[in-house]
Amino acid sequence: MGATGFAPRRLRDWLIAWSALSSTWFELDERPERAASAARIGEVAAGLAV
């Protein structure tokens, strides 16, 4: 466990899930710039080796 209190893999998986939901909600709210930002966070998290 790291400083967050989560196992690194669990934190990574949470970030990926959060970004998928957030990017979808932002798209539905017609805020494509925010959707792209949230999606990018998920892409970076998915690339993390844990």
Side-chain angles (χ1 to χ4, degrees):
M1 300 234 183
T4 62
F6 292 101
R9 183 176 179 148
R10 185 171 184 156
L11 180 58
R12 182 202 58 195
D13 292 348
W14 185 90
L15 283 170
I16 293 167
W18 171 87
S19 66
L21 288 171
S22 293
S23 63
T24 301
W25 292 328
F26 285 132
E27 279 294 334
L28 292 172
D29 286 342
E30 298 180 7
R31 301 190 73 180
E33 70 288 345
R34 297 234 176 175
S37 178
R40 182 67 185 133
I41 292 169
E43 291 168 0
V44 171
L48 295 175
V50 291

